[in-house]
Every structure is written in C-alpha cells, then in structure tokens.
Amino acid sequence: MSKTIAYASKRLPVILSGDVVVCGGGPAGAAAAIAAARSGAKVILLEQLGCLGGLGTAGIVPCFCPFSDGEKPVVRGIGEEVLIEMARRMKRPVNYDWMPIQPEILKAVYDDMVETAGPVLRLHTKVVDVVGKGRLNAVVISTKGGLKAVAGKVFVDATGDGDVSTWAGADFEVGGARGETMGPSLCPTFAGIDWNAFDANRRPGPRPDQVIWMRHLKQGRAPIAEWHLAAGVLKVGRSIGSGNIGHVYGVSGLDEAGLTRGMVDGRRMLWKFLDWYRRNVPGFRNAEMAATASILGVRETRRIVGDYVLNFDDYRARASFPDEIGRLSYPVDIHSSTTRPKEQRAVEKRLRATSLAKGESYGIPYRALVVRGLENLLVAGRCVSTDRAVQSSLRVMPGCFVTGQAAGVAAALAAKRHKGNVRYVDVSQLRSTLRSQNAYVP
C-alpha cells in the first residue's frame, strides 16, 4: 500500500452559520461563547466531547487554581460566576484559592450558563479543518453524519492545542528549546475515603499523602519514581477524592499514538497509586477506583504566535498594557518533561522562586489573542501567544476564563462593526464591555 491515498474533494453542507464560531468548549471556549452571546452576537459553540469544561470536567482535574492575588479576586467575570455557582451547588463556601471541583456539578453549571446565554451548542462535534486563507470562511466538522461545515464572520480557537490557527496557516512554537513538553497527567476519582481519618493526620505544611510519598520515595518504597506528586488526592465529596498525581513522560499531546500510550500507561499507573494510598495513607484503606479521566491532562502543546508574545520579562515586571484585557497571579509552573529526578525536583523550586507577592499580578494584552497573519481569528486558552514560561502560568483554568471572555467580547465587536477584522476592534470599547460583564480590567 502506498504511503498516501487520494481523497476526493467534497462539497460540504453548511449546517450552521453565525457571527461568532467558537471552536472548543473548555473553560476558554465556554467563556468566549457566553461572553459573545451576552454581547449580542449570534454564536455557535463546537465541542468534540460530550460535555463542556474540558479538563475540569472530563479531565477530573481536582481543583481550580487561584482566582486571587492573595488579597482580592483578579479573575472575575464569567470565571467567577462559574466558581460561585459551582460552590453553591456543592454547598461549600467559595474558595478563591484552590477550590475543589465536583465534575458532575461543574458540567451542569456550564450547561445551564451556556443555555441561558443562548449560543447554539453542538457536542460530539470535532473541528478537523478550515476553509479560507488569511480570512476564514468556515470550519470543517466531523459528525455522526459525516463531514460538514460551519460558517461564520469571526472564529475563536479555543481548542487548547491551537488546531484551528495551525490549519489556517498560523506560526506556532512547541515546548522548550529542544521541543520538549511538560509531562501530562491522567486524573482519577477515588471513592470510599474516610476524610476524618485523613484530616486527623494533617499538620501545617504539605498534605499527609505528599509527606508520606516523599518519605517512601527517599526510602525506595514508592511504586513509581515521581519526585513531583503535584496536588495529590483532594476532597471533593463526603467520601470521594480526585487526584492530580504523577505524570506520563515522553508523550506528545499532538500525536495520536502518544496520546494513546498516555491514556493506557496513565490508567495502569493510577492502579499503582491506588494500591499505595490504600496501604499507606490514613483514611484510604477502603478506597476504590471510581473513575479515570476520559481525556489526558495535557499541559503543553502549541503556542500560537500572535501580534504580541507575552514573555517572562513582562511577568517579572508585573506588566500592564494599554490593551490589557485581564490579569493573573499564578507562578511559572513548568512540569518536568523527563523522569530525571533533578528536573522533577526543580518544579517546586521554580514555583517558589517565581511566586508573586500578595496583591501582585501581571497583565494580558489583547494583542496576545490576535493570531498573526489572520484577519478574523482569535485564540484563547492555553495556546495564546506567549513564551514558554508565561504559558506555564496562563494555561490554568482561571487564565483560560480571562482570555476566553475577552476573545468572545472582541469577536462580537468585530462581527458587528468591523466586518470580522479583529484588529479594528476599539480597545477602549472592548475593555469597557468586559467591565460591564464584571471582568477585572483595572
């Protein structure tokens, strides 16, 4: 068989058309769709999974990273609405620093907020290509009915991997100097946990499971050579916990073979973690595996090159910008890309070294969302235009809410008044509209 096959071109039915087409329904995409709809645009939201929320729902990530700068929330707007409503349904106080997530409740929050805002939502709909050069006319989607098309005036790439931007011809960077990327994680949910027994062993500082793990690792008793356990297993219900534990190394989030290996190896690894927790961590003796995530927790793939590349110098300067659309206060969080203990140990040291002081944050310019060389395409989420250091900070869910809401408002403005050209958006109007939606734009 030859290495290529001929694939006949087809005329695809355009099944939907809107002012703004948002590709991807994670926190960035959901925020973009809600914000654009609230701004008066006709919005279409396309998501390849069966739920919205991405890693916070299908990925079982156990908690939100901080919305706060230690003194006040700096991630507000739609992200704060999601946080507050999830906490209300969980019957827990709002925590702006490391709020636990119950995935099923969070799914319902996204469903209700999107339905109320009014975008046309299509789940199980994967964007696989684009139509147009320099200016997009439509995206090609894969559905149970075959390939179809969705047309729009402005498009938001919230795929996380910058898929739409890449297919449209945008420049991008991947990983570090050698192309290395952070190791992804596969998150589990454990049931049958006695949290009272666990909490009875808590002391100031690291959590009991983290302390015991590091002791066993140094003694050669840990089942996996993992010097950066990440968050551990966090309480998300009366007897359930979700974990961000361990990494799968040497896996690319842009390669289907690598993603397959990441899922299979990740599941095998989680059974080893469960056995270790049962044997060694107070409260986990009767724990059971309730679920493993349906998607791999990929931290890093493409960084799309925009009109401005937000960089580490900006981060260190706690920079502000004339076209600023939001701020974030989260450290440089580059996870190891290898099994080398020295590289794994460096993660926590880097986090401490780059942590911002209370009340400090850095600004995000609108230009970092504008894809270089494309007229009517914006990017939101972990693949916005940054260097690697800033990407490791901005990639977390609160950062995705910030860039997603801004991209949604900007897309709506461009569709209304500028024939879709995102560079003609009046930045002062963008900022004032974001403030009217309760975003933090000082």
Side-chain angles (χ1 to χ4, degrees):
M1 183 176 179
S2 65
K3 293 183 179 180
T4 62
I5 61 172
Y7 181 71
S9 59
K10 297 181 178 180
R11 296 192 64 83
L12 302 179
V14 178
I15 61 166
L16 292 168
S17 180
D19 298 321
V20 177
V21 179
V22 180
C23 304
I34 292 167
R38 289 179 179 177
S39 301
K42 179 183 176 183
V43 183
I44 299 164
L45 175 57
L46 308 173
E47 166 55 43
Q48 65 178 329
L49 301 175
C51 65
L52 299 170
L55 288 173
T57 53
I60 319 183
V61 169
C63 62
F64 282 117
C65 290
F67 283 55
S68 164
D69 64 5
E71 294 181 348
K72 61 187 177 299
V74 292
V75 176
R76 296 183 60 192
I78 291 168
E80 186 180 33
E81 290 178 43
V82 171
L83 182 73
I84 290 172
E85 179 59 17
M86 185 192 72
R88 186 188 71 80
R89 297 188 191 191
M90 288 173 64
K91 296 180 172 57
R92 296 181 65 159
V94 177
N95 183 352
Y96 286 97
D97 296 296
W98 307 105
M99 177 73 190
I101 294 172
Q102 284 192 13
E104 294 305 319
I105 288 177
L106 185 55
K107 287 177 188 178
V109 170
Y110 280 122
D111 287 343
D112 292 346
M113 288 183 64
V114 167
E115 185 173 336
T116 299
V120 175
L121 172 63
R122 291 292 182 268
L123 300 175
H124 293 296
T125 302
K126 183 175 176 60
V127 179
V128 296
D129 205 352
V130 301
V131 178
K133 292 187 177 180
R135 181 181 181 85
L136 300 187
N137 299 314
V139 291
V140 179
I141 57 174
S142 174
T143 75
K144 294 299 291 182
L147 296 180
K148 301 174 184 178
V150 175
K153 296 177 182 177
V154 185
F155 296 81
V156 177
D157 182 350
T159 61
D161 299 317
D163 292 337
V164 174
S165 302
T166 301
W167 297 328
D171 294 327
F172 62 86
E173 297 178 343
V174 177
R178 301 179 305 278
E180 72 277 14
T181 57
M182 292 181 262
S185 298
L186 189 69
C187 295
T189 294
F190 297 156
I193 302 167
D194 181 350
W195 286 113
N196 290 330
F198 181 86
D199 290 337
N201 288 269
R202 296 200 74 149
R203 303 289 184 273
R207 294 158 43 82
D209 51 343
Q210 294 171 322
V211 172
I212 299 168
W213 177 267
M214 294 307 295
R215 183 169 69 242
H216 282 200
L217 194 59
K218 292 172 184 176
Q219 295 170 348
R221 298 168 58 195
I224 300 166
E226 177 59 77
W227 291 88
H228 178 216
L229 191 61
V233 178
L234 306 183
K235 180 180 179 179
V236 299
R238 286 189 295 272
S239 62
I240 60 174
S242 294
N244 187 352
I245 46 178
H247 299 78
V248 184
Y249 294 104
V251 170
S252 169
L254 298 174
D255 173 69
E256 62 275 10
L259 287 170
T260 301
R261 185 169 70 80
M263 293 295 293
V264 173
D265 289 354
R267 283 191 285 266
R268 288 182 181 137
M269 180 177 67
L270 290 178
W271 284 103
K272 294 179 181 180
F273 270 114
L274 176 59
D275 180 67
W276 180 85
Y277 268 84
R278 284 170 171 165
R279 292 171 181 270
N280 299 289
V281 180
F284 280 76
R285 177 179 297 175
N286 297 315
E288 299 178 275
M289 186 77 75
T292 59
S294 57
I295 55 174
L296 190 63
V298 174
R299 295 180 169 90
E300 179 181 26
T301 52
R302 303 183 186 99
R303 304 189 303 274
I304 299 302
V305 178
D307 285 0
Y308 184 82
V309 179
L310 189 62
N311 57 71
F312 187 54
D313 287 340
D314 297 324
Y315 177 92
R316 288 190 296 188
R318 283 58 165 162
S320 297
F321 300 90
D323 61 340
E324 186 168 298
I325 49 81
R327 300 185 72 82
L328 191 68
S329 182
Y330 186 70
V332 173
D333 188 9
I334 303 176
H335 289 225
S336 176
S337 58
T338 73
T339 57
R340 291 194 293 268
K342 182 178 180 181
E343 186 180 349
Q344 293 178 7
R345 288 191 185 104
V347 178
E348 295 293 339
K349 293 179 181 178
R350 188 183 302 111
L351 279 167
R352 291 191 294 270
T354 60
S355 291
L356 305 180
K358 285 187 176 182
E360 292 185 337
S361 59
Y362 64 92
I364 306 162
Y366 172 59
R367 289 163 291 159
L369 315 185
V370 178
V371 180
R372 191 173 71 185
L374 278 296
E375 276 187 24
N376 62 335
L377 179 62
L378 293 166
V379 67
R382 74 167 184 247
C383 55
V384 298
S385 181
T386 67
D387 67 6
R388 192 183 189 213
V390 174
Q391 187 274 344
S392 74
S393 167
L394 196 54
R395 66 183 171 83
V396 297
M397 285 184 278
C400 292
F401 283 129
V402 173
T403 58
Q405 184 169 2
V409 171
L413 293 174
K416 282 181 186 177
R417 301 187 179 182
H418 306 295
K419 298 182 179 179
N421 195 318
V422 297
R423 286 176 181 80
Y424 294 158
V425 170
D426 184 328
V427 172
S428 62
Q429 185 181 12
L430 169 60
R431 285 163 52 85
S432 65
T433 305
L434 284 168
R435 288 193 194 99
S436 73
Q437 295 187 2
N438 203 38
Y440 181 72
V441 186

